[in-house]
Amino acid sequence: MSKFEVRFYRGEDPTSSSWLVTEVLSDDGQGNRTSDIYAEFDPTTDGQEQARNLAEVLNREVEQEIYAEFG
């Protein structure tokens, strides 16, 4: 099952920076991970809060799916 995280991407140009919600697809526990960008938000405090809220909701949904499937 997936896990969603919030990361800050800092571009060379400040206008290309953003808060990202990423879906971790694989993680070997040794720093090697594969992830996809799920959503992108403005590089502001509000953008950070929106990203955190989305990641929290998505992770809660994943937990509910796991519980429903495996009890």
Side-chain angles (χ1 to χ4, degrees), residues 35-70:
S35 61
D36 278 339
I37 296 173
Y38 186 83
E40 186 173 353
F41 295 91
D42 291 336
T44 62
T45 304
D46 287 341
Q48 180 184 24
E49 184 176 339
Q50 291 173 329
R52 285 182 177 166
N53 290 340
L54 178 60
E56 183 179 308
V57 167
L58 292 170
N59 282 323
R60 197 174 317 125
E61 287 179 4
V62 169
E63 288 175 8
Q64 289 174 352
E65 288 176 15
I66 291 170
Y67 183 76
E69 189 171 329
F70 299 106

Side-chain angles (χ1 to χ4, degrees), residues 1-56:
M1 290 286 177
S2 299
K3 175 183 176 186
F4 293 88
E5 297 180 332
V6 175
R7 294 179 169 198
F8 187 73
Y9 170 77
R10 186 177 313 277
E12 290 181 25
D13 176 3
T15 61
S16 66
S17 297
S18 59
W19 285 101
L20 305 174
V21 175
T22 59
E23 180 180 11
V24 178
L25 303 173
S26 67
D27 185 348
D28 68 2
Q30 297 180 5
N32 300 312
R33 42 175 42 187
T34 304
S35 61
D36 278 339
I37 296 173
Y38 186 83
E40 186 173 353
F41 295 91
D42 291 336
T44 62
T45 304
D46 287 341
Q48 180 184 24
E49 184 176 339
Q50 291 173 329
R52 285 182 177 166
N53 290 340
L54 178 60
E56 183 179 308

